Amino acid sequence: GWTLTVDQAGIDNLFDDTDGAHDASIAGTIAGWSVAMTTDQSAKHNSYSASGTVAGVALTFTGTNNDDNGGSASKIAASYAMGNGLTLKGSVEDESKSDGSEDDSTLGFSYAMGDITVGYTTIKPGSSKSFGDEWDFSAAYASGAVAASFALDEADATTIIVDYDLGGGASAFAAMHDKAGTGNDLTAIGLNFAF
């Protein structure tokens, strides 16, 4: 039940896939927990993850000895399905930057109401900030051939995506992303084909 993968500079760091590419990974299960480890042998960088469920709470632990600042970092995330479509979630992150500015914490929920799912996350960006300084809101709809989503955050960055299944492996989509005060806006209309 274990998988060994070797791919020179082709494996993501499990803590953050922007924190360097690794060369080998091993993954499997121990006592019902999914575990994985990766390594970059030349740079002696490593990362790990472990996920499982305790008393109905889904837990995920991730870490690395090479975060954005070249030091050790770890994160604990938890979620709990309350029933009736409501799921609560939270996370705590500890990174190596000495001023704590990257030690983000989050609290949030998602709620499914038939074809519609809404979610909200409040974020404490760093140890000296407060919950609510950053936040994310999302709403998604899926029914039949139509799937649509809307996302908004504290910076008024708005993303809207609509996808329509045309059948036969083809779908049409339209997407729009707008961030106030920047030139990073995007509008796209196109077709996807799956064979």
Side-chain angles (χ1 to χ4, degrees):
W2 289 79
T3 300
L4 173 67
T5 304
V6 179
D7 185 1
Q8 178 70 28
I11 298 172
D12 287 339
N13 183 311
L14 296 172
F15 178 80
D16 187 335
D17 61 12
T18 66
D19 289 341
H22 293 179
D23 307 323
S25 72
I26 187 168
T29 58
I30 299 175
W33 284 68
S34 298
V35 298
M37 293 168 285
T38 70
T39 184
D40 177 352
Q41 288 296 302
S42 59
K44 294 183 172 59
H45 293 159
N46 305 289
S47 69
Y48 66 85
S49 72
S51 59
T53 302
V54 177
V57 179
L59 298 171
T60 300
F61 302 87
T62 54
T64 184
N65 67 347
N66 179 46
D67 64 4
D68 288 335
N69 308 298
S72 296
S74 60
K75 181 177 181 179
I76 302 173
S79 66
Y80 180 69
M82 300 285 291
N84 298 321
L86 178 63
T87 299
L88 305 179
K89 60 182 181 177
S91 68
V92 177
E93 188 171 306
D94 180 20
E95 294 211 36
S96 64
K97 197 167 184 179
S98 59
D99 62 5
S101 60
E102 297 181 359
D103 296 343
D104 296 351
S105 300
T106 70
L107 291 171
F109 73 90
S110 65
Y111 184 56
M113 303 169 286
D115 298 331
I116 299 173
T117 300
V118 297
Y120 178 81
T121 300
T122 179
I123 303 165
K124 179 183 178 183
S127 58
S128 63
K129 303 293 185 178
S130 301
F131 278 106
D133 286 349
E134 295 180 6
W135 52 269
D136 296 312
F137 171 80
S138 65
Y141 171 83
S143 180
V146 179
S149 64
F150 169 83
L152 178 68
D153 66 14
E154 79 289 342
D156 289 333
T158 304
T159 303
I160 300 172
I161 301 172
V162 179
D163 188 272
Y164 186 81
D165 188 352
L166 300 171
S171 64
F173 72 90
M176 184 276 290
H177 177 74
D178 176 73
K179 186 171 183 179
T182 75
N184 299 326
D185 299 339
L186 169 71
T187 300
I189 298 173
L191 298 172
N192 286 320
F193 297 95
F195 301 98

